[in-house]
């Protein structure tokens, strides 16, 4: 069954990648289900503590990622060892990126607005790996013909051009477009051609003396955020759970005589 699946559905050498992606997604989903039940006080699961210290699941995630990564390097691309290491790596990566916001902020922001970054990073990672699994190669090398591929100059020009498009899109404040553009160059091309977002390095450098371009950039960003911010937040809430509401700050007593 495994040989048939490998020979007829999956391209040679991509079975470990498929298993890593599957275990990554399943681990993230299971982890979010467990954390949401813990948050609601339901089910048999509880936070793991050792000596009164809360052990975040990023800790076993790092251990599994290291074991799976080094094991994959040592075992090669075929055999049971590569399959096992791919699964371990996917599980570890799922646990680590589920707490990406904690690593970024060095604070327990899991159920805060900042914690949404973890969900976004997981979704983007899964999408990128899925594109690679579907046959896309970074920087558009998959679009190069066999003759061009044998010519190193052609490959270098293709990679450099695709990288330049992604870099321009990134400088225009379009990080997601730049990231996906690494895999699908036409996405980076679109991001490089369109107006930069206000506040981006490109806008600060090239729109400083162009008030009309600044106005168009701000207006386009406003309409884009107004259209997509709500659906994106709803999707993130559905996947990862709603953040805790911000505490309401009660008005404090006024300053006393001579105080501030």
């Amino acid at each position: 069954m495994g040989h048939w699946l490998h020979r007829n559905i999956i391209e040679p050498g991509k079975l470990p990648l498929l298993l890593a992606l599957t275990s990554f997604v399943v681990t993230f989903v299971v982890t979010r289900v467990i954390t949401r039940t813990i948050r609601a006080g339901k089910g048999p699961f509880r936070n793991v503590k050792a000596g009164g210290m809360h052990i975040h699941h990023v800790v076993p995630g790092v251990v599994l990622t290291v074991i799976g990564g080094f094991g994959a390097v040592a075992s090669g691309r075929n055999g049971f060892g590569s399959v096992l290491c791919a699964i371990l790596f996917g599980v570890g990566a799922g646990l680590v990126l589920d707490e990406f916001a904690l690593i970024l902020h060095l604070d327990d922001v899991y159920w805060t607005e900042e914690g949404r970054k973890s969900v976004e990073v997981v979704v983007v990672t899964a999408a990128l790996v899925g594109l690679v699994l579907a046959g896309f190669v970074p920087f558009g090398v998959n679009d190069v013909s066999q003759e061009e591929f044998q010519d190193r100059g052609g490959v270098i020009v293709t990679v450099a051009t695709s990288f330049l498009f992604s870099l321009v899109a990134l400088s225009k404040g379009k990080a997601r477009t730049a990231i996906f553009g690494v895999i699908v160059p036409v996405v980076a091309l679109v991001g490089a051609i369109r107006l930069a977002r206000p506040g981006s390095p490109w806008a600060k450098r090239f729109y400083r003396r162009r008030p009309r371009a600044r106005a168009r950039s701000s207006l386009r960003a406003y309409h884009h955020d107004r259209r997509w911010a709500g659906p994106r937040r709803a999707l993130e809430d559905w996947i990862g759970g709603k953040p805790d509401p911000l505490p309401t700050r009660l008005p404090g007593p006024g300053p006393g005589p001579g105080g501030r």
Side-chain angles (χ1 to χ4, degrees):
M1 178 65 180
H3 290 291
W4 180 88
L5 181 67
H6 191 280
R7 185 173 60 252
N8 294 278
I9 299 180
I10 305 172
E11 293 182 23
K14 287 192 174 181
L15 178 59
L17 183 61
L18 173 62
L19 294 173
L21 175 60
T22 303
S23 58
F24 172 79
V25 174
V26 171
T27 299
F28 171 74
V29 172
V30 171
T31 302
R32 281 285 164 167
V33 170
I34 292 176
T35 54
R36 291 171 78 166
T37 58
I38 294 175
R39 184 191 191 192
K42 301 178 181 178
F45 302 103
R46 295 293 181 268
N47 290 325
V48 178
K49 295 185 177 181
M53 181 175 62
H54 179 197
I55 306 298
H56 292 272
H57 49 268
V58 67
V59 176
V62 169
V63 175
L64 291 175
T65 303
V66 171
I67 294 175
F70 280 106
V73 172
S75 62
R77 301 179 63 181
N78 299 312
F80 176 76
S82 65
V83 169
L84 178 60
C85 291
I87 295 175
L88 291 177
F89 182 84
V91 172
L95 294 173
V96 170
L97 292 188
D98 184 55
E99 294 202 308
F100 172 82
L102 181 148
I103 302 172
L104 180 64
H105 294 276
L106 293 179
D107 192 13
D108 190 358
V109 294
Y110 197 83
W111 295 118
T112 66
E113 285 292 327
E114 290 81 2
R116 292 178 182 271
K117 293 184 179 67
S118 298
V119 178
E120 184 174 349
V121 167
V122 167
V123 172
V124 170
T125 301
L128 290 175
V129 177
L131 287 173
V132 174
L133 193 62
F136 290 91
V137 179
F139 300 119
V141 179
N142 55 306
D143 296 327
V144 178
S145 65
Q146 188 64 32
E147 292 77 12
E148 292 174 327
F149 191 80
Q150 293 175 355
D151 178 14
R152 292 184 179 181
V155 175
I156 292 174
V157 170
T158 300
V159 171
T161 304
S162 301
F163 179 76
L164 179 61
F165 289 155
S166 295
L167 192 62
V168 172
L170 183 63
S171 69
K172 287 189 172 184
K174 304 174 183 181
R176 300 184 192 90
T177 302
I179 293 172
F180 280 101
V182 172
I183 307 297
V184 186
V186 68
V187 175
L189 175 61
V190 173
I193 293 175
R194 293 175 64 85
L195 281 170
R197 289 186 63 87
S200 66
W202 185 281
K204 292 178 180 179
R205 174 66 177 83
F206 296 103
Y207 298 169
R208 182 171 51 185
R209 299 181 181 179
R210 299 171 58 192
R212 182 174 297 180
R214 289 201 309 270
R216 289 176 56 205
S217 172
S218 299
L219 184 62
R220 178 170 293 181
Y222 169 76
H223 286 303
H224 177 274
D225 294 342
R226 186 178 180 183
R227 179 184 303 170
W228 296 108
R232 185 176 68 246
R233 290 172 66 90
L235 178 62
E236 291 174 352
D237 291 345
W238 179 75
I239 295 175
K242 288 186 177 181
D244 291 330
L246 294 175
T248 303
R249 298 185 63 182
L250 299 176
R260 291 193 304 167

